[in-house]
Amino acid sequence: MALTALIKEAGGPENFILEDLPVGDPGAGEVRIAHKAVGLNFIDVYQRTGLYPMNLPHALGMEAAGIIEAVGEGVTHLKAGDRAAYAAQPPGAYCEARVMPAAQVCPLPDDISFEQGAAMMLKGMTTQYLLHRTTPLQMGDTVLFHAAAGGVGLIACQWARAEGINLIGTAGTDEKCALALEHGATHCINYRTEDWVAQVREITGGKGVDAVMDAVGKDTFDGSLDSLKPLGMMISFGNASGPVPPFNLGVLGPKGSLKITRPTLFTHISDHATCQQMAQHLFDKVLSGDVDIRIDQRFALKDVADAHRALEARKTTGSTILTL
């Protein structure tokens, strides 16, 4: 049996319930993993509220780290006793242990802690595909990154600095801006007190940025388009302020023949070999010291509702984990 946080209907954080559920044995292509720490991400909020519908009742959580207890037939990259971490579908990480598909579960290097592993897989591989797999970027390019002091943002600030990419961040307080700058952003704009679109234009000498990486959604979408240079790429990868409403595709022409994409991590990591390669790239960045995984909030699994409230209120910085 494993203590599990799940929801039986979509809604607010108060809908979480805790139950002891049977775990079972892994089938072909599966592993059983005992979690040591679990990551918290905004996609969990989208699933809890019903923005991303799912069959209920269901446990939430897409990211965790722990010890492999058993492997099913056909699993060759992991064995019982291995340290492991993952960002993967289906949801279900908010628990002490689970059986899950093995393909996206990755061996965790000994020099990376379980807490770091739980805090970095979804956010770090998201950063990897944003900077390496979505649009061609090279040293000297400039990107605009919203929510630069969040879990993905602080990893992206450091990764961009290591790659020689200029990252202009936005954040909601001066303290969060200072945090982004400390982690490698070349500039950071307080979007609550400044006209961030005008600031981006001023910083870039009126040219605009090569790409925008926007997980905020509705509140920043129009300004993000206006921050791009001609032929720039708009990467909309989240909806923290709500989903982007329908818009006229024709506006991309007069704004500079802009490009737009709505990627998801789970498309990028759906292939086993690609997922393992992306994870290794992330591990290399952390082990080299280029990227430090900052964990600013820890909640016990039983307090998962409070963790969600803090995340939705934008009271968090860096990564948030659930401890077991």
Side-chain angles (χ1 to χ4, degrees):
M1 304 292 282
L3 184 66
T4 303
L6 68 159
I7 57 169
K8 293 188 175 180
E9 61 181 26
E14 67 279 1
N15 283 9
F16 277 111
I17 60 172
L18 294 173
E19 291 188 359
D20 282 312
L21 299 177
V23 180
D25 296 318
E30 294 181 328
V31 297
R32 185 174 71 235
I33 183 169
H35 291 148
K36 298 295 186 182
V38 176
L40 192 75
N41 296 280
F42 234 100
I43 190 173
D44 307 349
V45 174
Y46 305 154
Q47 291 168 343
R48 192 205 73 225
T49 61
L51 178 62
Y52 292 178
M54 55 194 298
N55 293 326
L56 301 178
H58 211 297
L60 299 185
M62 312 290 284
E63 176 182 50
I67 299 286
I68 299 297
E69 293 187 326
V71 301
E73 182 183 354
V75 177
T76 59
H77 70 291
L78 294 164
K79 65 183 185 301
D82 281 354
R83 306 171 79 253
Y86 66 85
Q89 294 179 321
Y94 290 2
C95 63
E96 293 176 326
R98 70 184 293 200
V99 169
M100 63 181 295
Q104 281 70 46
V105 181
C106 304
L108 183 67
D110 290 340
D111 290 335
I112 297 178
S113 71
F114 290 118
E115 289 197 350
Q116 288 175 310
M120 70 189 277
M121 295 300 289
L122 191 147
K123 303 167 192 70
M125 289 196 292
T126 295
T127 301
Q128 199 277 346
Y129 85 68
L130 289 172
L131 291 174
H132 290 276
R133 295 174 56 86
T134 309
T135 190
L137 291 171
Q138 56 190 355
M139 183 179 296
D141 284 350
T142 301
V143 302
L144 172 63
F145 202 104
H146 293 297
V152 179
L154 290 184
I155 295 174
C157 287
Q158 298 173 81
W159 201 312
R161 176 173 59 188
E163 303 281 336
I165 294 168
N166 301 308
L167 186 147
I168 303 171
T170 70
T173 68
D174 290 343
E175 291 76 15
K176 287 186 175 183
C177 283
L179 195 59
L181 291 169
E182 176 188 332
H183 283 73
T186 53
H187 300 83
C188 195
I189 305 164
N190 185 334
Y191 66 81
R192 296 188 189 276
T193 60
E194 299 181 65
D195 181 341
W196 56 270
V197 178
Q199 286 284 92
V200 168
R201 286 289 171 181
E202 181 177 340
I203 291 168
T204 60
K207 295 178 181 178
V209 298
D210 296 280
V212 177
M213 300 172 181
D214 186 348
V216 175
K218 176 174 64 70
D219 289 352
T220 51
F221 183 77
D222 291 338
S224 291
L225 293 181
D226 290 337
S227 299
L228 284 163
K229 66 170 52 173
L231 305 179
M233 173 64 86
M234 170 65 183
I235 306 170
S236 177
F237 71 103
N239 316 280
S241 67
V244 175
F247 77 104
N248 178 7
L249 192 66
V251 304
L252 300 180
K255 286 183 180 291
S257 300
L258 303 180
K259 296 166 284 189
I260 187 166
T261 184
R262 197 349 179 151
T264 72
L265 172 64
F266 299 108
T267 304
H268 283 277
I269 65 173
S270 59
D271 175 73
H272 167 71
T274 300
C275 176
Q276 299 296 320
Q277 290 165 4
M278 291 172 65
Q280 189 59 56
H281 194 181
L282 170 62
F283 296 151
D284 290 345
K285 284 291 185 185
V286 173
L287 293 171
S288 72
D290 284 342
V291 172
D292 177 58
I293 305 301
R294 181 178 176 124
I295 302 169
D296 286 345
Q297 298 80 213
R298 292 172 172 83
F299 294 84
L301 177 61
K302 66 181 179 62
D303 297 324
V304 63
D306 291 334
H308 270 237
R309 291 185 184 101
L311 186 64
E312 286 184 280
R314 301 190 186 183
K315 293 181 178 178
T316 64
T317 55
S319 295
T320 302
I321 63 168
L322 303 175
T323 59
L324 297 110

